[in-house]
Amino acid sequence: KKKLILSLAKKNRAWMQKNRDQYTGIFGSDLSGACAIASTRLLRLLNLNRVKGVSIVGNDSHCFIIVDEYVLDVTATQFSPFENEPVLFIKMEELIDIVRKRKGDNWRHFFWWEIGTQVTSVREFLKWQKEVDWDEDQQIKPEHLKKVA
C-alpha cells in the first residue's frame, strides 16, 4: 500500500510541477499556492486506485491528504524544514514532534497541518472550498480532474 501511495504522490507532484503555469495562484517551484489543487487531484488518484483510509483535509491556509494516521503532502516543500521533501509521508504525531522541536513554544504558529475540514470525496471538498470562499485561482480546474488516470 505504501509503495502505491508514494508512486501516485510522486506522479501527482510531477503533474503539478508541469501544469503550475496554468494556475495564476501558484507562486513558484516550491508549489506555494498549489496545495488544494494538488491534494484534490491526488485524492482522485488514490480513490481511483482503491486506496483505503484516504481523506482530504483543509484548514485556513493549507490542504493535504490523510491516509490512515499519515499525512501525505506533495506541496510541503513550501514549509520549513521540508523544502527538500517533494513528497511528505509521515505519521501525524511524528510531524507534530518535528515542528515542535524546530519551532519551540511557538510551534503551532508554524504548524500547517491542522485539521479544519476532513472529507473523503472530491465533491465534498469542492463544496467546502466554495463555502469558505477559497481563492478560485487555487482550485482545480474541472478538466484536470477528468484527465486523472
Side-chain angles (χ1 to χ4, degrees):
K1 180 176 175 178
K2 182 178 179 180
K3 187 176 180 181
L4 174 63
I5 291 167
L6 290 174
S7 172
L8 293 171
K10 288 175 186 173
K11 177 180 174 182
N12 193 64
R13 181 176 169 90
W15 176 88
M16 191 73 258
Q17 288 280 14
K18 180 181 173 190
N19 289 281
R20 72 176 186 244
D21 292 341
Q22 295 184 39
Y23 292 90
T24 57
I26 299 174
F27 307 111
S29 61
D30 68 355
L31 296 182
S32 177
C35 61
I37 298 161
S39 295
T40 304
R41 190 171 186 280
L42 184 53
L43 176 66
R44 174 67 55 89
L45 268 174
L46 293 165
N47 286 340
L48 287 173
N49 283 274
R50 294 180 166 77
V51 176
K52 302 291 183 210
V54 177
S55 58
I56 188 169
V57 171
N59 58 46
D60 291 344
S61 55
H62 192 49
C63 301
F64 55 96
I65 298 291
I66 296 277
V67 182
D68 298 323
E69 70 273 13
Y70 287 84
V71 170
L72 177 60
D73 191 341
V74 295
T75 65
T77 46
Q78 62 188 305
F79 305 121
S80 175
F82 304 106
E83 300 90 346
N84 297 312
E85 299 254 0
V87 174
L88 182 65
F89 189 61
I90 188 171
K91 284 188 175 183
M92 179 65 87
E93 62 192 42
E94 293 174 27
L95 181 57
I96 290 170
D97 286 343
I98 289 170
V99 175
R100 186 180 285 147
K101 286 176 186 168
R102 300 241 338 161
K103 303 297 183 180
D105 291 342
N106 202 19
W107 72 275
R108 284 205 174 271
H109 180 72
F110 299 96
F111 192 72
W112 306 106
W113 299 274
E114 292 288 340
I115 296 176
T117 194
Q118 185 172 3
V119 296
T120 58
S121 77
V122 169
R123 180 177 295 170
E124 290 173 292
F125 187 70
L126 295 175
K127 181 181 174 196
W128 172 81
Q129 283 186 304
K130 290 194 183 340
E131 288 172 2
V132 298
D133 200 27
W134 195 272
D135 187 343
E136 285 188 32
D137 292 337
Q138 295 178 356
Q139 294 181 36
I140 196 161
K141 295 178 181 184
E143 65 266 24
H144 288 154
L145 280 174
K146 291 176 185 165
K147 295 177 183 176
V148 175

mmCIF file of all heavy atoms in Angstrom, residues 108-139:
data_model
loop_
_atom_site.group_PDB
_atom_site.id
_atom_site.type_symbol
_atom_site.label_atom_id
_atom_site.label_comp_id
_atom_site.label_asym_id
_atom_site.label_seq_id
_atom_site.Cartn_x
_atom_site.Cartn_y
_atom_site.Cartn_z
ATOM 1 N N ARG A 108 2.883 26.005 17.131
ATOM 2 C CA ARG A 108 1.565 25.957 16.474
ATOM 3 C C ARG A 108 1.424 27.033 15.397
ATOM 4 O O ARG A 108 0.703 26.844 14.421
ATOM 5 C CB ARG A 108 0.438 26.092 17.492
ATOM 6 C CG ARG A 108 0.222 24.824 18.259
ATOM 7 C CD ARG A 108 -1.207 24.751 18.794
ATOM 8 N NE ARG A 108 -1.447 23.478 19.398
ATOM 9 C CZ ARG A 108 -1.898 22.409 18.753
ATOM 10 N NH1 ARG A 108 -2.126 22.468 17.480
ATOM 11 N NH2 ARG A 108 -2.114 21.281 19.387
ATOM 12 N N HIS A 109 2.138 28.142 15.545
ATOM 13 C CA HIS A 109 2.112 29.188 14.528
ATOM 14 C C HIS A 109 2.706 28.689 13.212
ATOM 15 O O HIS A 109 2.392 29.205 12.141
ATOM 16 C CB HIS A 109 2.869 30.422 15.030
ATOM 17 C CG HIS A 109 2.906 31.540 14.062
ATOM 18 N ND1 HIS A 109 1.795 32.312 13.762
ATOM 19 C CD2 HIS A 109 3.904 32.012 13.274
ATOM 20 C CE1 HIS A 109 2.129 33.210 12.845
ATOM 21 N NE2 HIS A 109 3.396 33.052 12.538
ATOM 22 N N PHE A 110 3.586 27.685 13.284
ATOM 23 C CA PHE A 110 4.268 27.157 12.109
ATOM 24 C C PHE A 110 3.744 25.779 11.701
ATOM 25 O O PHE A 110 4.345 25.104 10.890
ATOM 26 C CB PHE A 110 5.772 27.060 12.379
ATOM 27 C CG PHE A 110 6.390 28.381 12.673
ATOM 28 C CD1 PHE A 110 6.583 28.798 13.981
ATOM 29 C CD2 PHE A 110 6.764 29.237 11.647
ATOM 30 C CE1 PHE A 110 7.155 30.032 14.261
ATOM 31 C CE2 PHE A 110 7.321 30.468 11.917
ATOM 32 C CZ PHE A 110 7.522 30.872 13.222
ATOM 33 N N PHE A 111 2.642 25.357 12.296
ATOM 34 C CA PHE A 111 2.107 24.032 12.002
ATOM 35 C C PHE A 111 0.975 24.167 10.998
ATOM 36 O O PHE A 111 -0.111 24.621 11.327
ATOM 37 C CB PHE A 111 1.622 23.340 13.282
ATOM 38 C CG PHE A 111 1.329 21.884 13.076
ATOM 39 C CD1 PHE A 111 2.367 20.981 12.896
ATOM 40 C CD2 PHE A 111 0.027 21.425 13.019
ATOM 41 C CE1 PHE A 111 2.121 19.646 12.680
ATOM 42 C CE2 PHE A 111 -0.241 20.084 12.806
ATOM 43 C CZ PHE A 111 0.810 19.192 12.642
ATOM 44 N N TRP A 112 1.223 23.761 9.754
ATOM 45 C CA TRP A 112 0.292 23.960 8.654
ATOM 46 C C TRP A 112 -0.670 22.788 8.473
ATOM 47 O O TRP A 112 -1.505 22.811 7.587
ATOM 48 C CB TRP A 112 1.075 24.194 7.361
ATOM 49 C CG TRP A 112 2.048 25.308 7.517
ATOM 50 C CD1 TRP A 112 3.403 25.193 7.636
ATOM 51 C CD2 TRP A 112 1.761 26.703 7.630
ATOM 52 N NE1 TRP A 112 3.965 26.438 7.813
ATOM 53 C CE2 TRP A 112 2.985 27.378 7.809
ATOM 54 C CE3 TRP A 112 0.588 27.453 7.600
ATOM 55 C CZ2 TRP A 112 3.070 28.753 7.949
ATOM 56 C CZ3 TRP A 112 0.677 28.822 7.741
ATOM 57 C CH2 TRP A 112 1.907 29.454 7.909
ATOM 58 N N TRP A 113 -0.543 21.759 9.304
ATOM 59 C CA TRP A 113 -1.295 20.528 9.102
ATOM 60 C C TRP A 113 -2.423 20.330 10.118
ATOM 61 O O TRP A 113 -2.816 19.222 10.421
ATOM 62 C CB TRP A 113 -0.346 19.333 9.084
ATOM 63 C CG TRP A 113 0.632 19.474 7.956
ATOM 64 C CD1 TRP A 113 0.456 19.083 6.664
ATOM 65 C CD2 TRP A 113 1.914 20.101 8.004
ATOM 66 N NE1 TRP A 113 1.547 19.426 5.898
ATOM 67 C CE2 TRP A 113 2.463 20.048 6.707
ATOM 68 C CE3 TRP A 113 2.660 20.711 9.017
ATOM 69 C CZ2 TRP A 113 3.710 20.571 6.390
ATOM 70 C CZ3 TRP A 113 3.908 21.232 8.706
ATOM 71 C CH2 TRP A 113 4.417 21.162 7.401
ATOM 72 N N GLU A 114 -2.983 21.432 10.603
ATOM 73 C CA GLU A 114 -4.152 21.357 11.478
ATOM 74 C C GLU A 114 -5.331 20.827 10.660
ATOM 75 O O GLU A 114 -5.464 21.141 9.474
ATOM 76 C CB GLU A 114 -4.522 22.737 12.036
ATOM 77 C CG GLU A 114 -3.525 23.313 13.002
ATOM 78 C CD GLU A 114 -3.527 22.620 14.359
ATOM 79 O OE1 GLU A 114 -4.520 21.954 14.716
ATOM 80 O OE2 GLU A 114 -2.522 22.751 15.064
ATOM 81 N N ILE A 115 -6.177 20.060 11.297
ATOM 82 C CA ILE A 115 -7.339 19.532 10.599
ATOM 83 C C ILE A 115 -8.509 20.477 10.820
ATOM 84 O O ILE A 115 -8.993 20.642 11.939
ATOM 85 C CB ILE A 115 -7.657 18.104 11.079
ATOM 86 C CG1 ILE A 115 -6.493 17.185 10.697
ATOM 87 C CG2 ILE A 115 -8.978 17.620 10.484
ATOM 88 C CD1 ILE A 115 -6.620 15.770 11.190
ATOM 89 N N GLY A 116 -8.924 21.137 9.747
ATOM 90 C CA GLY A 116 -10.097 22.004 9.777
ATOM 91 C C GLY A 116 -11.294 21.186 9.325
ATOM 92 O O GLY A 116 -12.078 20.703 10.123
ATOM 93 N N THR A 117 -11.384 20.973 8.018
ATOM 94 C CA THR A 117 -12.395 20.063 7.483
ATOM 95 C C THR A 117 -11.684 18.817 6.986
ATOM 96 O O THR A 117 -10.528 18.880 6.566
ATOM 97 C CB THR A 117 -13.206 20.719 6.350
ATOM 98 O OG1 THR A 117 -14.357 19.931 6.087
ATOM 99 C CG2 THR A 117 -12.415 20.875 5.077
ATOM 100 N N GLN A 118 -12.355 17.692 7.060
ATOM 101 C CA GLN A 118 -11.791 16.429 6.593
ATOM 102 C C GLN A 118 -12.910 15.642 5.935
ATOM 103 O O GLN A 118 -13.880 15.271 6.588
ATOM 104 C CB GLN A 118 -11.181 15.652 7.758
ATOM 105 C CG GLN A 118 -10.469 14.384 7.336
ATOM 106 C CD GLN A 118 -9.710 13.728 8.477
ATOM 107 O OE1 GLN A 118 -9.749 14.177 9.621
ATOM 108 N NE2 GLN A 118 -8.995 12.664 8.175
ATOM 109 N N VAL A 119 -12.772 15.425 4.635
ATOM 110 C CA VAL A 119 -13.801 14.732 3.869
ATOM 111 C C VAL A 119 -13.153 13.668 2.985
ATOM 112 O O VAL A 119 -11.941 13.686 2.769
ATOM 113 C CB VAL A 119 -14.637 15.713 3.016
ATOM 114 C CG1 VAL A 119 -15.404 16.684 3.904
ATOM 115 C CG2 VAL A 119 -13.770 16.483 2.030
ATOM 116 N N THR A 120 -13.977 12.781 2.459
ATOM 117 C CA THR A 120 -13.431 11.668 1.681
ATOM 118 C C THR A 120 -13.683 11.759 0.188
ATOM 119 O O THR A 120 -13.153 10.957 -0.571
ATOM 120 C CB THR A 120 -14.000 10.329 2.197
ATOM 121 O OG1 THR A 120 -15.427 10.382 2.106
ATOM 122 C CG2 THR A 120 -13.567 10.067 3.627
ATOM 123 N N SER A 121 -14.460 12.750 -0.248
ATOM 124 C CA SER A 121 -14.742 12.838 -1.687
ATOM 125 C C SER A 121 -14.338 14.197 -2.249
ATOM 126 O O SER A 121 -14.356 15.211 -1.550
ATOM 127 C CB SER A 121 -16.228 12.584 -1.964
ATOM 128 O OG SER A 121 -16.998 13.721 -1.630
ATOM 129 N N VAL A 122 -14.007 14.178 -3.526
ATOM 130 C CA VAL A 122 -13.676 15.419 -4.236
ATOM 131 C C VAL A 122 -14.868 16.364 -4.200
ATOM 132 O O VAL A 122 -14.721 17.561 -3.956
ATOM 133 C CB VAL A 122 -13.242 15.114 -5.686
ATOM 134 C CG1 VAL A 122 -13.166 16.383 -6.517
ATOM 135 C CG2 VAL A 122 -11.905 14.372 -5.696
ATOM 136 N N ARG A 123 -16.054 15.845 -4.410
ATOM 137 C CA ARG A 123 -17.261 16.677 -4.422
ATOM 138 C C ARG A 123 -17.433 17.418 -3.097
ATOM 139 O O ARG A 123 -17.695 18.622 -3.074
ATOM 140 C CB ARG A 123 -18.491 15.827 -4.708
ATOM 141 C CG ARG A 123 -19.772 16.649 -4.728
ATOM 142 C CD ARG A 123 -20.968 15.814 -5.087
ATOM 143 N NE ARG A 123 -20.780 15.367 -6.470
ATOM 144 C CZ ARG A 123 -21.540 14.449 -7.048
ATOM 145 N NH1 ARG A 123 -22.512 13.889 -6.395
ATOM 146 N NH2 ARG A 123 -21.329 14.108 -8.294
ATOM 147 N N GLU A 124 -17.274 16.701 -1.977
ATOM 148 C CA GLU A 124 -17.402 17.334 -0.654
ATOM 149 C C GLU A 124 -16.340 18.415 -0.462
ATOM 150 O O GLU A 124 -16.612 19.474 0.106
ATOM 151 C CB GLU A 124 -17.237 16.301 0.461
ATOM 152 C CG GLU A 124 -18.363 15.315 0.602
ATOM 153 C CD GLU A 124 -18.013 14.247 1.614
ATOM 154 O OE1 GLU A 124 -17.100 13.434 1.347
ATOM 155 O OE2 GLU A 124 -18.641 14.252 2.695
ATOM 156 N N PHE A 125 -15.135 18.143 -0.937
ATOM 157 C CA PHE A 125 -14.052 19.109 -0.765
ATOM 158 C C PHE A 125 -14.294 20.365 -1.595
ATOM 159 O O PHE A 125 -14.108 21.488 -1.110
ATOM 160 C CB PHE A 125 -12.700 18.483 -1.117
ATOM 161 C CG PHE A 125 -11.547 19.390 -0.799
ATOM 162 C CD1 PHE A 125 -11.204 19.655 0.515
ATOM 163 C CD2 PHE A 125 -10.829 20.002 -1.808
ATOM 164 C CE1 PHE A 125 -10.160 20.515 0.825
ATOM 165 C CE2 PHE A 125 -9.780 20.861 -1.514
ATOM 166 C CZ PHE A 125 -9.451 21.114 -0.197
ATOM 167 N N LEU A 126 -14.729 20.185 -2.842
ATOM 168 C CA LEU A 126 -15.015 21.346 -3.686
ATOM 169 C C LEU A 126 -16.156 22.176 -3.100
ATOM 170 O O LEU A 126 -16.126 23.407 -3.162
ATOM 171 C CB LEU A 126 -15.335 20.895 -5.114
ATOM 172 C CG LEU A 126 -14.179 20.226 -5.868
ATOM 173 C CD1 LEU A 126 -14.655 19.720 -7.229
ATOM 174 C CD2 LEU A 126 -12.981 21.129 -6.015
ATOM 175 N N LYS A 127 -17.127 21.509 -2.515
ATOM 176 C CA LYS A 127 -18.229 22.219 -1.845
ATOM 177 C C LYS A 127 -17.690 23.035 -0.672
ATOM 178 O O LYS A 127 -18.042 24.197 -0.488
ATOM 179 C CB LYS A 127 -19.274 21.206 -1.357
ATOM 180 C CG LYS A 127 -20.451 21.839 -0.675
ATOM 181 C CD LYS A 127 -21.433 20.779 -0.183
ATOM 182 C CE LYS A 127 -22.529 21.432 0.634
ATOM 183 N NZ LYS A 127 -23.261 20.479 1.433
ATOM 184 N N TRP A 128 -16.799 22.446 0.126
ATOM 185 C CA TRP A 128 -16.199 23.152 1.259
ATOM 186 C C TRP A 128 -15.410 24.378 0.774
ATOM 187 O O TRP A 128 -15.509 25.459 1.359
ATOM 188 C CB TRP A 128 -15.290 22.215 2.064
ATOM 189 C CG TRP A 128 -14.511 22.923 3.119
ATOM 190 C CD1 TRP A 128 -14.949 23.296 4.353
ATOM 191 C CD2 TRP A 128 -13.144 23.369 3.035
ATOM 192 N NE1 TRP A 128 -13.953 23.942 5.044
ATOM 193 C CE2 TRP A 128 -12.828 24.003 4.253
ATOM 194 C CE3 TRP A 128 -12.157 23.285 2.052
ATOM 195 C CZ2 TRP A 128 -11.581 24.548 4.514
ATOM 196 C CZ3 TRP A 128 -10.909 23.832 2.311
ATOM 197 C CH2 TRP A 128 -10.639 24.455 3.533
ATOM 198 N N GLN A 129 -14.648 24.213 -0.310
ATOM 199 C CA GLN A 129 -13.879 25.340 -0.841
ATOM 200 C C GLN A 129 -14.795 26.511 -1.195
ATOM 201 O O GLN A 129 -14.454 27.656 -0.938
ATOM 202 C CB GLN A 129 -13.079 24.920 -2.073
ATOM 203 C CG GLN A 129 -11.838 24.132 -1.744
ATOM 204 C CD GLN A 129 -11.013 23.873 -2.981
ATOM 205 O OE1 GLN A 129 -11.503 23.305 -3.964
ATOM 206 N NE2 GLN A 129 -9.780 24.291 -2.952
ATOM 207 N N LYS A 130 -15.921 26.215 -1.787
ATOM 208 C CA LYS A 130 -16.866 27.283 -2.123
ATOM 209 C C LYS A 130 -17.441 27.922 -0.861
ATOM 210 O O LYS A 130 -17.576 29.144 -0.781
ATOM 211 C CB LYS A 130 -17.977 26.742 -3.008
ATOM 212 C CG LYS A 130 -17.489 26.396 -4.402
ATOM 213 C CD LYS A 130 -18.607 26.177 -5.363
ATOM 214 C CE LYS A 130 -18.166 25.750 -6.744
ATOM 215 N NZ LYS A 130 -16.830 26.003 -7.164
ATOM 216 N N GLU A 131 -17.767 27.116 0.140
ATOM 217 C CA GLU A 131 -18.333 27.624 1.397
ATOM 218 C C GLU A 131 -17.386 28.577 2.113
ATOM 219 O O GLU A 131 -17.815 29.555 2.711
ATOM 220 C CB GLU A 131 -18.688 26.459 2.334
ATOM 221 C CG GLU A 131 -19.889 25.670 1.893
ATOM 222 C CD GLU A 131 -20.098 24.404 2.717
ATOM 223 O OE1 GLU A 131 -19.320 24.141 3.670
ATOM 224 O OE2 GLU A 131 -21.036 23.654 2.403
ATOM 225 N N VAL A 132 -16.085 28.277 2.075
ATOM 226 C CA VAL A 132 -15.117 29.124 2.784
ATOM 227 C C VAL A 132 -14.513 30.188 1.864
ATOM 228 O O VAL A 132 -13.603 30.903 2.253
ATOM 229 C CB VAL A 132 -13.996 28.295 3.456
ATOM 230 C CG1 VAL A 132 -14.583 27.362 4.497
ATOM 231 C CG2 VAL A 132 -13.139 27.559 2.445
ATOM 232 N N ASP A 133 -15.017 30.261 0.628
ATOM 233 C CA ASP A 133 -14.546 31.243 -0.347
ATOM 234 C C ASP A 133 -13.048 31.100 -0.620
ATOM 235 O O ASP A 133 -12.302 32.072 -0.626
ATOM 236 C CB ASP A 133 -14.885 32.662 0.131
ATOM 237 C CG ASP A 133 -14.879 33.663 -1.011
ATOM 238 O OD1 ASP A 133 -15.130 33.256 -2.160
ATOM 239 O OD2 ASP A 133 -14.602 34.843 -0.744
ATOM 240 N N TRP A 134 -12.623 29.862 -0.843
ATOM 241 C CA TRP A 134 -11.222 29.572 -1.172
ATOM 242 C C TRP A 134 -10.881 30.273 -2.479
ATOM 243 O O TRP A 134 -11.691 30.307 -3.405
ATOM 244 C CB TRP A 134 -11.029 28.053 -1.307
ATOM 245 C CG TRP A 134 -9.610 27.613 -1.280
ATOM 246 C CD1 TRP A 134 -8.765 27.512 -2.342
ATOM 247 C CD2 TRP A 134 -8.843 27.201 -0.139
ATOM 248 N NE1 TRP A 134 -7.532 27.075 -1.946
ATOM 249 C CE2 TRP A 134 -7.557 26.876 -0.593
ATOM 250 C CE3 TRP A 134 -9.126 27.083 1.218
ATOM 251 C CZ2 TRP A 134 -6.548 26.424 0.257
ATOM 252 C CZ3 TRP A 134 -8.122 26.634 2.061
ATOM 253 C CH2 TRP A 134 -6.851 26.318 1.585
ATOM 254 N N ASP A 135 -9.703 30.838 -2.589
ATOM 255 C CA ASP A 135 -9.258 31.558 -3.780
ATOM 256 C C ASP A 135 -9.479 30.705 -5.038
ATOM 257 O O ASP A 135 -8.966 29.596 -5.136
ATOM 258 C CB ASP A 135 -7.778 31.917 -3.625
ATOM 259 C CG ASP A 135 -7.262 32.816 -4.725
ATOM 260 O OD1 ASP A 135 -7.909 32.929 -5.786
ATOM 261 O OD2 ASP A 135 -6.193 33.415 -4.526
ATOM 262 N N GLU A 136 -10.240 31.216 -5.989
ATOM 263 C CA GLU A 136 -10.546 30.458 -7.202
ATOM 264 C C GLU A 136 -9.300 30.109 -8.004
ATOM 265 O O GLU A 136 -9.273 29.090 -8.701
ATOM 266 C CB GLU A 136 -11.549 31.216 -8.072
ATOM 267 C CG GLU A 136 -12.948 31.160 -7.514
ATOM 268 C CD GLU A 136 -13.984 31.735 -8.458
ATOM 269 O OE1 GLU A 136 -13.808 31.638 -9.691
ATOM 270 O OE2 GLU A 136 -14.977 32.279 -7.950
ATOM 271 N N ASP A 137 -8.262 30.927 -7.922
ATOM 272 C CA ASP A 137 -7.012 30.644 -8.629
ATOM 273 C C ASP A 137 -6.262 29.471 -8.003
ATOM 274 O O ASP A 137 -5.266 29.009 -8.562
ATOM 275 C CB ASP A 137 -6.095 31.877 -8.625
ATOM 276 C CG ASP A 137 -6.648 33.009 -9.460
ATOM 277 O OD1 ASP A 137 -7.460 32.732 -10.373
ATOM 278 O OD2 ASP A 137 -6.288 34.166 -9.204
ATOM 279 N N GLN A 138 -6.731 29.025 -6.844
ATOM 280 C CA GLN A 138 -6.091 27.900 -6.162
ATOM 281 C C GLN A 138 -7.053 26.715 -6.026
ATOM 282 O O GLN A 138 -6.923 25.900 -5.122
ATOM 283 C CB GLN A 138 -5.576 28.345 -4.802
ATOM 284 C CG GLN A 138 -4.467 29.378 -4.913
ATOM 285 C CD GLN A 138 -3.975 29.858 -3.566
ATOM 286 O OE1 GLN A 138 -4.476 29.493 -2.524
ATOM 287 N NE2 GLN A 138 -2.961 30.693 -3.597
ATOM 288 N N GLN A 139 -8.007 26.638 -6.969
ATOM 289 C CA GLN A 139 -8.923 25.497 -7.049
ATOM 290 C C GLN A 139 -8.678 24.763 -8.349
ATOM 291 O O GLN A 139 -8.409 25.384 -9.382
ATOM 292 C CB GLN A 139 -10.373 25.964 -6.986
ATOM 293 C CG GLN A 139 -10.750 26.581 -5.659
ATOM 294 C CD GLN A 139 -12.213 27.001 -5.628
ATOM 295 O OE1 GLN A 139 -13.061 26.339 -6.194
ATOM 296 N NE2 GLN A 139 -12.484 28.117 -4.967
#
